[in-house]
Amino acid sequence: MKTGVNTEIALTHILTRKRQTIVAALGVTIGIAIYITMNTLIIGTNRYSDNAIFKTTPHVRIYKEDEISKPLEKDSAKIKSTVIINPKISNISKNLINPVKLLDEIKRQPEVTSAAEMVNANVFYNNGKSQLNGVGWGINIVEANAMFDIQSTMVAGDLRTLLNTPNGIIIGVGIADKLSLKMNDNISVISSIGVIKLLKVVGLFKTSNLATDKGKSYMNLATAQQLLGQGPSYVTDIYVNIKDPEQAPAYGKVLSKLTGYSFEDWKAANELFVAGKKIRAIMFTVISWAILLVAAFGIYNIVNMTISQKMNDIAILKATGFSGGDVVKIFVMEAMVMGIIGTILGFLMAALLTNLLSHIYIGADIGYFPIQFELPVSLTGVGVGILVTFGAGFIPARKAAKVDPVAIFRK
Amino acid sequence: MEKKVVLKTKAIGKYFYDPLKFKVLDNISFEAYQGEFLTLVGKSGSGKSTLLYILSTMDTEYEGELFIDDALITGQKVNKLAAIRNKNIGFVFQFHYLLPEFSCLKNIMIPALKLGKYSHEEVEQQAYEKLDMLGIKDQALKPASKLSGGQQQRVSIARALINSPKIIMCDEPTGNLDSKNTKIVFDTFQQIAHEFGQTIIAVTHDIDFAKASDRTIELADGKIVG
Ligand SMILES: Nc1ncnc2c1ncn2[C@@H]1O[C@H](COP(=O)(O)OP(=O)(O)OP(=O)(O)O)[C@@H](O)[C@H]1O
Ligand SMILES: [Mg+2]
């Protein structure tokens, strides 16, 4: 039966100042809408740019680290003199030992979604007098496709043709342009150690990166091995994709321990990109919180103003038996009504904004603006909105609860 | 006939420290009885209001003891005191302190809704009865701010009566009223005390008002002098 009177007072206060209530609620609406939209934007763009990275970088790369020659004599406390040495890379071969067995073992790991052996060869592409340098990826094209979705970048030819064509090559459109090559033309490829091979263009690809299109090619593993003057057991890297790319740095360690070789995760390989992502996240978070705080301040302000105008009312309520807790409830409720209305509208506005943005065509291989409705972030936004307005109401309400009625009546 | 004590003070004293320490109330001991119309008089600054606020349970910084209905009030927690006021004490001040956004009727109903003893409909019914008794039933649905001073004071008396408190405390209830309205208020208090058996403790400067009451306590420099 006690429900009601506090609510009734709070609602009456709100209804008698509709305009201010609406303004404060709209402040929250904008704050929440921007908060949700910004965070949705971060998720969307991160997802897009992560995907772009995963088109060329595996989650984890297993390779053999260069070894640096060690001093002949160890430093120790007893020997004061240090043997001067000249540190050099001491291992000649980057070959992983028994790659087939390694690959097998890696593929058996439950976390691993795909893995491929890989030989990189620095090469010159020649056609007549024109020459272009670049990198040839010697890799099983089907496994590579599973990892990098190469198929989506193909503009001519078919990936599978490479499997059946031992001397086939798939080149970027940039190379084809510069060397005026068409499908099924021959291209001569020279490696850094001088091995020359005549290969047949069986496919063309086009990515969003000009430099890649001008230098990269895919060839069979054996072709790359031959270009480097090596036999069929020569493999320099194993590329691994796992279920959760965020876990790559940690899981890389596991793989490294398993294989005994070094690893590089995609984050380490793209430090600049990861740093940029962090900066973006911090920037957006700061902006969205700043706007949210302004909105909260709007609510704080109106509740605070109501309280200072209603000192007499608070005094008589306390005199007639309302406790400090009742007074807090009344004013927090006023803040919450504004906050909840504002938050709901903000949620809807964010959904609308997201929808509008997702219909903006950007072009290139991005297509439409990479944004979509993200439920968890939206719900977090609603939670944050309600929490913040609670705080914005509670702070002045606590002050109201402490009003000493005697001090008011004496005036 | 044995008179029932509803309020009792034992050696109440109080100091103010600002700007200088001085004793504003000294050794105040008295009793107020059921159905008594009691007035508090004294020169300006003698401590009448200060004493009334202590009796009202709103001021808790004093020495000595206060009993209402034989229960010790001194030292109770603030929430308990709020509940005691809600149930047992009605207030009328020199100013009406009505909530301006609410109708007269709602203003009267609020303490009863807080008490939560009766349903909304019952409370409304009782509020109409009080308004009728004070002769302003026709003003019930007007906002409190649209009434004359005398009408507003009567609404505030109705609010003080709504929970049928044992004691009604007033600080210069007629201080702002003309003689006609003063008479209405006085007659109402008389009726409340003598017909309904509620106790009135009223601070006043009006000598005639005091003389016509059942008993008068006079304060001078924080002491009871008569
Ligand atoms: N908050 C306070 N701090 C310090 N001194 C105060 C305070 N309130 C009142 N006083 C002083 O205490 C004394 C008693 O004040 P009180 O209001 O009780 O007098 P009163 O008898 O009600 O006077 P009046 O008839 O003018 O209303 C006065 O001297 C007053 O100046
Ligand atoms: Mg006074």
Side-chain angles (χ1 to χ4, degrees):
Chain A
M1 230 191 260
K2 281 211 175 96
T3 56
V5 63
N6 291 342
T7 314
E8 206 171 324
I9 294 172
L11 292 182
T12 306
H13 282 170
I14 282 181
L15 289 176
T16 48
R17 33 183 77 208
K18 285 197 198 77
R19 216 174 54 85
Q20 280 151 301
T21 303
I22 290 169
V23 169
L26 280 184
V28 176
T29 300
I30 292 169
I32 292 300
I34 290 180
Y35 178 91
I36 295 177
T37 311
M38 285 252 183
N39 282 286
T40 306
L41 206 64
I42 295 177
I43 293 178
T45 47
N46 281 355
R47 185 182 295 139
Y48 168 75
S49 53
D50 282 359
N51 281 344
I53 283 203
F54 295 145
K55 281 198 170 151
T56 53
T57 313
H59 298 168
V60 180
R61 179 170 76 94
I62 302 293
Y63 66 103
K64 186 171 175 183
E65 186 67 277
D66 295 332
E67 283 162 22
I68 307 291
S69 52
K70 296 203 173 70
L72 294 174
E73 207 159 337
K74 273 189 190 158
D75 286 325
S76 81
K78 280 180 192 155
I79 306 163
K80 287 274 158 64
S81 56
T82 312
V83 179
I84 298 169
I85 54 122
N86 180 15
K88 272 190 217 158
I89 295 174
S90 63
N91 57 326
I92 306 134
S93 169
K94 298 183 177 188
N95 193 7
L96 301 176
I97 296 175
N98 202 349
V100 180
K101 185 168 157 279
L102 271 184
L103 187 65
D104 245 30
E105 207 159 329
I106 289 170
K107 278 185 172 168
R108 269 207 307 271
Q109 300 306 309
E111 284 302 306
V112 172
T113 53
S114 55
E117 300 169 293
M118 164 80 190
V119 173
N120 256 329
N122 288 318
V123 294
F124 287 101
Y125 306 105
N126 298 288
N127 186 25
K129 282 196 172 163
S130 347
Q131 198 177 48
L132 215 58
N133 73 327
V135 181
W137 282 38
I139 195 164
N140 179 317
I141 196 71
V142 176
E143 284 174 346
N145 186 44
M147 240 179 228
F148 304 124
D149 190 21
I150 298 165
Q151 185 66 56
S152 70
T153 64
M154 293 296 285
V155 292
D158 180 37
L159 285 180
R160 297 196 160 268
T161 328
L162 186 61
L163 282 183
N164 317 326
T165 319
N167 64 338
I169 185 167
I170 296 173
I171 56 174
V173 287
I175 303 173
D177 263 6
K178 284 255 160 120
L179 305 181
S180 48
L181 290 165
K182 300 186 301 295
M183 281 289 288
N184 299 320
D185 283 354
N186 286 330
I187 174 173
S188 100
V189 176
I190 308 170
S191 74
S192 52
I193 60 163
V195 177
I196 305 176
K197 284 192 73 84
L198 198 63
L199 301 175
K200 185 176 160 200
V201 177
V202 296
L204 297 173
F205 67 85
K206 182 178 190 306
T207 68
S208 53
N209 187 328
L210 277 182
T212 304
D213 292 348
K214 264 192 263 179
K216 190 169 174 180
S217 63
Y218 298 100
M219 55 188 72
N220 287 308
L221 200 55
T223 314
Q225 286 161 343
Q226 288 156 15
L227 278 168
L228 295 177
Q230 299 284 350
S233 71
Y234 182 81
V235 169
T236 55
D237 303 84
I238 292 178
Y239 284 0
V240 185
N241 268 12
I242 57 175
K243 280 178 189 152
D244 180 6
E246 288 305 312
Q247 299 302 317
Y251 197 69
K253 285 200 188 96
V254 177
L255 285 178
S256 170
K257 214 174 219 165
L258 183 78
T259 56
Y261 289 108
S262 302
F263 79 98
E264 183 186 60
D265 61 85
W266 67 276
K267 287 187 178 178
N270 296 280
E271 268 181 348
L272 202 66
F273 164 81
V274 173
K277 208 161 103 172
K278 265 191 199 144
I279 290 170
R280 218 160 48 211
I282 291 171
M283 228 166 63
F284 278 26
T285 310
V286 168
I287 292 173
S288 53
W289 273 97
I291 291 169
L292 217 56
L293 279 183
V294 171
F297 191 74
I299 294 222
Y300 168 85
N301 207 29
I302 183 177
V303 174
N304 208 18
M305 205 172 65
T306 310
I307 287 170
S308 34
Q309 286 173 359
K310 300 214 165 298
M311 282 300 181
N312 286 346
D313 298 21
I314 295 167
I316 193 69
L317 285 174
K318 290 189 90 172
T320 55
F322 286 71
S323 65
D326 291 321
V327 174
V328 168
K329 271 184 214 149
I330 289 171
F331 289 104
V332 165
M333 199 163 342
E334 291 180 25
M336 294 301 275
V337 169
M338 293 182 257
I340 289 172
I341 293 173
T343 302
I344 291 171
L345 289 180
F347 176 88
L348 295 177
M349 191 165 148
L352 190 76
L353 264 175
T354 308
N355 190 268
L356 285 179
L357 282 174
S358 71
H359 283 91
I360 295 176
Y361 189 73
I362 304 283
D365 59 345
I366 295 184
Y368 287 94
F369 205 91
I371 190 171
Q372 69 190 65
F373 181 74
E374 307 281 352
L375 188 64
V377 164
S378 306
L379 292 183
T380 309
V382 170
V384 164
I386 289 170
L387 213 71
V388 161
T389 41
F390 178 83
F394 187 72
I395 295 167
R398 221 185 30 183
K399 197 185 70 181
K402 288 196 186 122
V403 165
D404 175 13
V406 173
I408 305 293
F409 294 135
R410 275 193 180 282
K411 277 181 190 142
Chain B
M1 185 182 100
E2 184 87 5
K3 284 190 286 183
K4 190 173 178 295
V5 174
V6 287
L7 181 144
K8 184 167 79 178
T9 67
K10 266 193 194 160
I12 280 185
K14 182 177 172 75
Y15 292 91
F16 277 126
Y17 299 93
D18 198 26
L20 286 169
K21 180 174 171 177
F22 85 104
K23 194 153 196 180
V24 59
L25 294 175
D26 187 12
N27 197 27
I28 304 282
S29 301
F30 75 98
E31 292 174 340
Y33 306 102
Q34 187 179 14
E36 184 179 31
F37 185 175
L38 184 66
T39 45
L40 271 177
V41 297
K43 282 211 276 297
S44 181
S46 56
K48 304 180 296 291
S49 296
T50 308
L51 176 59
L52 195 75
Y53 291 131
I54 291 172
L55 302 182
S56 79
T57 78
M58 286 191 276
D59 186 352
T60 52
E61 312 234 306
Y62 58 88
E63 53 194 35
E65 287 172 338
L66 168 66
F67 297 86
I68 291 177
D69 239 8
D70 292 329
L72 179 64
I73 299 300
T74 312
Q76 296 278 13
K77 298 238 163 58
V78 282
N79 283 354
K80 181 80 196 297
L81 293 177
I84 288 171
R85 284 199 294 277
N86 186 224
K87 190 160 171 282
N88 294 319
I89 307 175
F91 291 100
V92 181
F93 300 96
Q94 183 173 356
F95 304 104
H96 54 78
Y97 290 107
L98 296 171
L99 307 185
E101 298 94 342
F102 293 83
S103 67
C104 296
L105 190 69
K106 257 290 144 56
N107 265 288
I108 297 169
M109 288 168 70
I110 283 174
L113 294 173
K114 170 64 197 164
L115 184 64
K117 195 171 154 194
Y118 298 103
S119 74
H120 198 277
E121 290 71 30
E122 287 168 314
V123 168
E124 193 172 291
Q125 179 60 33
Q126 292 163 2
Y128 269 117
E129 283 166 18
K130 302 293 178 210
L131 280 170
D132 198 19
M133 182 179 112
L134 287 149
I136 43 170
K137 196 176 180 185
D138 50 334
Q139 310 292 329
L141 298 178
K142 273 196 192 173
S145 52
K146 296 266 162 68
L147 266 60
S148 76
Q151 290 170 326
Q152 286 172 331
Q153 195 61 316
R154 279 186 266 165
V155 174
S156 83
I157 293 171
R159 178 181 61 195
L161 297 177
I162 190 70
N163 283 344
S164 307
K166 295 209 168 66
I167 311 164
I168 292 120
M169 298 190 184
C170 319
D171 196 349
E172 300 180 34
T174 58
N176 276 335
L177 302 181
D178 59 10
S179 56
K180 187 172 146 259
N181 275 302
T182 301
K183 179 149 178 12
I184 294 173
V185 169
F186 184 87
D187 291 346
T188 309
F189 283 175
Q190 200 97 43
Q191 184 188 12
I192 294 163
H194 300 152
E195 282 179 33
F196 306 148
Q198 289 164 285
T199 304
I200 310 270
I201 303 177
V203 169
T204 185
H205 278 133
D206 184 335
I207 300 302
D208 297 333
F209 190 96
K211 271 191 186 143
S213 70
D214 294 349
R215 178 159 67 109
T216 300
I217 292 175
E218 190 181 347
L219 284 186
D221 292 331
K223 293 189 184 75
I224 295 183
V225 293

